[in-house]
Amino acid sequence: MKYRLSRYTLPLLASFPLSALADVPRVAVDIPPIHSLVAKVMGGLGSPDLFIQPGASPHGYSLRPSEAKVLNDADVVVWVSNDLTPWLSAPIANLANDAEHLELIDHDHDHDHDHDHDHDHDHDHDHDHDHDHDHDHDHDHDHDHDHDHDHDHDHDHDHDHDHHHDGQDPHGWLDPGNARRWLDSIAQQLSEIDPDNAAHYRANAAQGQQELEALEQDLKERLANSEETRFIVFHDAYQYFEKALGVTAAGAISIGDASSPSPRRIETIQQLVDAEGVTCVFSEPQFNPQIVDTVFGDTDVYIGVMDPLGVGLTLGAGLYDALLNQMADEIQHCTDTM
């Protein structure tokens, strides 16, 4: 196993004994929210390195040479799941075959969040997930965990989403309950390869869990008046967020190829807006906002931004919290426009 000091640790040498810093592993992560969770666990000992450019869609990506080097130099690779990044298996096998691997959704064996929305949107979603899961409209979200900080989710939200998405939802980080569990998984992985700093990682994970538990409670209180707020999202990425915080999207445009929507699709979405009393639509920084303007530009619907990746937020331990707060802010604004 190869250990190196992260470039972020050098200014902190005076704060920690060299024995604590000598074997800090280099951690490669896929997206900014996971970078944030790993940074929470690593604390002052170092910082992970991203191998997907911030702002890029993780569903399909070509590594730059510098990003391939991040994988090649890694002692640990942490990523959400192969469902989110189906292209990643080969780079990990070829570039990080001697590193430890932590696939978070796969590692979280007791947590399944599946969806099968059967509707009449005339499009194909930008990514397929082949799993043996099935639920129609009614998102049965079942968490069974033994951790002290875990909690059970048993929500029956009637999502009348006007789109189709089969398989397991790969956007699991949008549930702060998952994030708390993943802090444990990250701390365990780092502790196994860096036992000298195990107490540091576990203490940071425990503190992070407490902070995220408080954040979730605050978000629930803030969104308590948004249960009946109906909004359209760009693609079907927010079911974990919706389930955890008690809000419901009316549907999704779900255009992965950034092409202009067909006249039939525009008509279908506009009919959904009328039928559901939709007051807001959210674009995403990773996709062309003109698509949303094409559908909603001549209406009174509020056009905002719902970003599952935290584009524009400062990379680091605080990004995850800021991301969920930013999403809640948008929904609150939507509620205020009703």
Side-chain angles (χ1 to χ4, degrees), residues 144-171:
D144 294 313
H145 304 278
D146 297 329
H147 193 276
D148 290 340
H149 293 280
D150 293 348
H151 57 278
D152 292 337
H153 295 262
D154 188 7
H155 304 289
D156 292 320
H157 284 184
D158 294 326
H159 287 207
D160 192 14
H161 287 197
D162 192 22
H163 55 289
H164 183 84
H165 189 156
D166 294 329
Q168 182 167 317
D169 183 354
H171 305 86

Short mmCIF file of all heavy atoms in Angstrom, two decimals, residues 144-171:
data_model
loop_
_atom_site.label_atom_id
_atom_site.label_comp_id
_atom_site.label_asym_id
_atom_site.label_seq_id
_atom_site.Cartn_x
_atom_site.Cartn_y
_atom_site.Cartn_z
N ASP A 144 -33.53 -0.17 6.94
CA ASP A 144 -33.40 -0.97 8.15
C ASP A 144 -31.93 -1.02 8.51
O ASP A 144 -31.16 -1.73 7.90
CB ASP A 144 -33.92 -2.40 7.93
CG ASP A 144 -35.41 -2.42 7.68
OD1 ASP A 144 -36.13 -1.76 8.43
OD2 ASP A 144 -35.83 -3.11 6.74
N HIS A 145 -31.54 -0.27 9.54
CA HIS A 145 -30.15 -0.14 9.91
C HIS A 145 -30.00 -0.28 11.41
O HIS A 145 -30.92 0.03 12.17
CB HIS A 145 -29.59 1.21 9.46
CG HIS A 145 -29.77 1.43 8.00
ND1 HIS A 145 -28.93 0.93 7.05
CD2 HIS A 145 -30.74 2.07 7.31
CE1 HIS A 145 -29.35 1.26 5.86
NE2 HIS A 145 -30.45 1.95 6.00
N ASP A 146 -28.82 -0.69 11.82
CA ASP A 146 -28.58 -0.92 13.22
C ASP A 146 -27.77 0.19 13.88
O ASP A 146 -27.54 0.15 15.08
CB ASP A 146 -27.82 -2.25 13.42
CG ASP A 146 -28.66 -3.42 12.95
OD1 ASP A 146 -29.90 -3.33 13.05
OD2 ASP A 146 -28.07 -4.40 12.49
N HIS A 147 -27.29 1.14 13.12
CA HIS A 147 -26.46 2.19 13.71
C HIS A 147 -27.28 3.10 14.62
O HIS A 147 -28.44 3.35 14.40
CB HIS A 147 -25.82 3.03 12.59
CG HIS A 147 -24.74 3.91 13.10
ND1 HIS A 147 -24.97 5.12 13.65
CD2 HIS A 147 -23.40 3.69 13.15
CE1 HIS A 147 -23.84 5.66 14.04
NE2 HIS A 147 -22.87 4.82 13.74
N ASP A 148 -26.65 3.61 15.67
CA ASP A 148 -27.35 4.42 16.66
C ASP A 148 -27.97 5.65 16.04
O ASP A 148 -28.98 6.17 16.52
CB ASP A 148 -26.38 4.85 17.77
CG ASP A 148 -25.97 3.68 18.65
OD1 ASP A 148 -26.71 2.66 18.63
OD2 ASP A 148 -24.95 3.78 19.33
N HIS A 149 -27.36 6.16 14.99
CA HIS A 149 -27.86 7.38 14.38
C HIS A 149 -28.86 7.12 13.26
O HIS A 149 -29.37 8.05 12.65
CB HIS A 149 -26.68 8.20 13.82
CG HIS A 149 -25.78 8.72 14.89
ND1 HIS A 149 -26.06 9.83 15.62
CD2 HIS A 149 -24.61 8.26 15.35
CE1 HIS A 149 -25.09 10.06 16.49
NE2 HIS A 149 -24.21 9.11 16.34
N ASP A 150 -29.08 5.85 12.95
CA ASP A 150 -29.94 5.54 11.82
C ASP A 150 -31.41 5.69 12.20
O ASP A 150 -31.81 5.67 13.34
CB ASP A 150 -29.71 4.10 11.35
CG ASP A 150 -28.33 3.94 10.75
OD1 ASP A 150 -27.69 4.97 10.51
OD2 ASP A 150 -27.92 2.78 10.54
N HIS A 151 -32.24 5.81 11.20
CA HIS A 151 -33.65 5.90 11.42
C HIS A 151 -34.37 5.24 10.27
O HIS A 151 -33.82 5.07 9.20
CB HIS A 151 -34.11 7.35 11.55
CG HIS A 151 -33.75 8.16 10.35
ND1 HIS A 151 -32.49 8.69 10.19
CD2 HIS A 151 -34.46 8.51 9.26
CE1 HIS A 151 -32.44 9.36 9.05
NE2 HIS A 151 -33.62 9.25 8.47
N ASP A 152 -35.59 4.85 10.51
CA ASP A 152 -36.35 4.16 9.47
C ASP A 152 -37.16 5.16 8.67
O ASP A 152 -37.77 6.05 9.21
CB ASP A 152 -37.32 3.14 10.09
CG ASP A 152 -36.58 1.99 10.73
OD1 ASP A 152 -35.43 1.76 10.32
OD2 ASP A 152 -37.14 1.34 11.63
N HIS A 153 -37.16 4.96 7.37
CA HIS A 153 -38.00 5.74 6.48
C HIS A 153 -39.05 4.80 5.93
O HIS A 153 -38.72 3.77 5.36
CB HIS A 153 -37.18 6.29 5.30
CG HIS A 153 -36.14 7.27 5.71
ND1 HIS A 153 -36.33 8.62 5.64
CD2 HIS A 153 -34.90 7.10 6.19
CE1 HIS A 153 -35.25 9.23 6.04
NE2 HIS A 153 -34.36 8.33 6.38
N ASP A 154 -40.29 5.14 6.10
CA ASP A 154 -41.35 4.35 5.49
C ASP A 154 -42.37 5.33 4.97
O ASP A 154 -43.37 5.63 5.59
CB ASP A 154 -41.98 3.42 6.53
CG ASP A 154 -42.94 2.45 5.88
OD1 ASP A 154 -43.00 2.43 4.64
OD2 ASP A 154 -43.63 1.71 6.61
N HIS A 155 -42.07 5.88 3.82
CA HIS A 155 -42.88 6.93 3.24
C HIS A 155 -43.67 6.39 2.07
O HIS A 155 -43.16 5.60 1.29
CB HIS A 155 -42.02 8.10 2.75
CG HIS A 155 -41.14 8.67 3.80
ND1 HIS A 155 -41.61 9.40 4.85
CD2 HIS A 155 -39.79 8.61 3.97
CE1 HIS A 155 -40.61 9.78 5.61
NE2 HIS A 155 -39.50 9.30 5.10
N ASP A 156 -44.88 6.83 1.93
CA ASP A 156 -45.70 6.49 0.78
C ASP A 156 -46.11 7.77 0.09
O ASP A 156 -47.20 8.28 0.29
CB ASP A 156 -46.94 5.70 1.21
CG ASP A 156 -46.56 4.33 1.73
OD1 ASP A 156 -45.66 3.73 1.13
OD2 ASP A 156 -47.17 3.86 2.71
N HIS A 157 -45.19 8.31 -0.71
CA HIS A 157 -45.48 9.52 -1.45
C HIS A 157 -46.05 9.13 -2.80
O HIS A 157 -45.44 8.37 -3.53
CB HIS A 157 -44.20 10.33 -1.66
CG HIS A 157 -43.75 11.05 -0.44
ND1 HIS A 157 -42.69 11.89 -0.45
CD2 HIS A 157 -44.23 11.06 0.82
CE1 HIS A 157 -42.51 12.40 0.75
NE2 HIS A 157 -43.43 11.89 1.55
N ASP A 158 -47.18 9.69 -3.13
CA ASP A 158 -47.77 9.39 -4.43
C ASP A 158 -47.19 10.35 -5.45
O ASP A 158 -47.72 11.41 -5.71
CB ASP A 158 -49.29 9.55 -4.35
CG ASP A 158 -49.89 8.49 -3.44
OD1 ASP A 158 -49.33 7.39 -3.42
OD2 ASP A 158 -50.88 8.79 -2.76
N HIS A 159 -46.09 9.97 -6.03
CA HIS A 159 -45.41 10.80 -7.02
C HIS A 159 -46.02 10.53 -8.38
O HIS A 159 -45.82 9.47 -8.97
CB HIS A 159 -43.92 10.46 -7.09
CG HIS A 159 -43.15 10.93 -5.90
ND1 HIS A 159 -41.82 11.22 -5.98
CD2 HIS A 159 -43.52 11.18 -4.62
CE1 HIS A 159 -41.38 11.59 -4.80
NE2 HIS A 159 -42.40 11.57 -3.96
N ASP A 160 -46.74 11.48 -8.89
CA ASP A 160 -47.31 11.32 -10.22
C ASP A 160 -46.34 11.91 -11.22
O ASP A 160 -46.65 12.84 -11.93
CB ASP A 160 -48.67 12.04 -10.29
CG ASP A 160 -49.43 11.66 -11.55
OD1 ASP A 160 -49.02 10.67 -12.18
OD2 ASP A 160 -50.40 12.35 -11.87
N HIS A 161 -45.13 11.34 -11.25
CA HIS A 161 -44.10 11.88 -12.11
C HIS A 161 -44.38 11.53 -13.57
O HIS A 161 -44.64 10.38 -13.91
CB HIS A 161 -42.74 11.29 -11.73
CG HIS A 161 -42.21 11.83 -10.45
ND1 HIS A 161 -40.89 11.72 -10.11
CD2 HIS A 161 -42.81 12.49 -9.42
CE1 HIS A 161 -40.69 12.26 -8.92
NE2 HIS A 161 -41.84 12.73 -8.49
N ASP A 162 -44.25 12.51 -14.41
CA ASP A 162 -44.52 12.30 -15.83
C ASP A 162 -43.23 11.93 -16.54
O ASP A 162 -42.75 12.63 -17.40
CB ASP A 162 -45.11 13.59 -16.42
CG ASP A 162 -45.68 13.35 -17.80
OD1 ASP A 162 -46.00 12.20 -18.11
OD2 ASP A 162 -45.80 14.34 -18.53
N HIS A 163 -42.65 10.82 -16.12
CA HIS A 163 -41.41 10.37 -16.73
C HIS A 163 -41.22 8.90 -16.39
O HIS A 163 -41.98 8.33 -15.63
CB HIS A 163 -40.22 11.19 -16.25
CG HIS A 163 -40.08 11.24 -14.77
ND1 HIS A 163 -40.96 11.94 -13.96
CD2 HIS A 163 -39.18 10.67 -13.95
CE1 HIS A 163 -40.60 11.81 -12.71
NE2 HIS A 163 -39.54 11.04 -12.67
N HIS A 164 -40.19 8.31 -16.94
CA HIS A 164 -39.97 6.88 -16.75
C HIS A 164 -38.51 6.66 -16.37
O HIS A 164 -37.61 7.15 -17.00
CB HIS A 164 -40.29 6.13 -18.04
CG HIS A 164 -40.16 4.64 -17.91
ND1 HIS A 164 -41.16 3.85 -17.41
CD2 HIS A 164 -39.13 3.81 -18.18
CE1 HIS A 164 -40.77 2.58 -17.41
NE2 HIS A 164 -39.54 2.55 -17.87
N HIS A 165 -38.30 5.94 -15.28
CA HIS A 165 -36.95 5.68 -14.82
C HIS A 165 -36.97 4.35 -14.07
O HIS A 165 -37.56 4.23 -13.02
CB HIS A 165 -36.51 6.81 -13.89
CG HIS A 165 -35.06 6.75 -13.53
ND1 HIS A 165 -34.35 7.85 -13.14
CD2 HIS A 165 -34.18 5.73 -13.50
CE1 HIS A 165 -33.11 7.51 -12.88
NE2 HIS A 165 -32.98 6.22 -13.08
N ASP A 166 -36.34 3.35 -14.63
CA ASP A 166 -36.35 2.02 -14.04
C ASP A 166 -35.07 1.79 -13.25
O ASP A 166 -34.01 2.30 -13.59
CB ASP A 166 -36.44 0.94 -15.12
CG ASP A 166 -37.76 0.98 -15.85
OD1 ASP A 166 -38.76 1.37 -15.21
OD2 ASP A 166 -37.79 0.63 -17.04
N GLY A 167 -35.17 0.95 -12.19
CA GLY A 167 -34.00 0.50 -11.47
C GLY A 167 -33.73 1.28 -10.21
O GLY A 167 -34.59 1.95 -9.66
N GLN A 168 -32.51 1.17 -9.73
CA GLN A 168 -32.10 1.79 -8.48
C GLN A 168 -31.67 3.23 -8.72
O GLN A 168 -30.86 3.51 -9.58
CB GLN A 168 -30.96 0.98 -7.86
CG GLN A 168 -30.51 1.54 -6.52
CD GLN A 168 -29.62 0.57 -5.78
OE1 GLN A 168 -29.89 -0.62 -5.75
NE2 GLN A 168 -28.56 1.07 -5.19
N ASP A 169 -32.20 4.13 -7.91
CA ASP A 169 -31.83 5.54 -8.00
C ASP A 169 -30.41 5.70 -7.48
O ASP A 169 -30.12 5.37 -6.33
CB ASP A 169 -32.82 6.36 -7.15
CG ASP A 169 -32.58 7.85 -7.22
OD1 ASP A 169 -31.58 8.27 -7.83
OD2 ASP A 169 -33.39 8.59 -6.66
N PRO A 170 -29.48 6.23 -8.30
CA PRO A 170 -28.09 6.33 -7.86
C PRO A 170 -27.77 7.61 -7.10
O PRO A 170 -26.61 7.83 -6.74
CB PRO A 170 -27.32 6.28 -9.18
CG PRO A 170 -28.23 6.97 -10.15
CD PRO A 170 -29.64 6.59 -9.72
N HIS A 171 -28.74 8.48 -6.85
CA HIS A 171 -28.46 9.78 -6.23
C HIS A 171 -28.65 9.72 -4.72
O HIS A 171 -29.25 10.60 -4.11
CB HIS A 171 -29.35 10.85 -6.85
CG HIS A 171 -29.25 10.93 -8.34
ND1 HIS A 171 -30.01 10.13 -9.18
CD2 HIS A 171 -28.48 11.70 -9.15
CE1 HIS A 171 -29.70 10.41 -10.44
NE2 HIS A 171 -28.78 11.36 -10.44
#
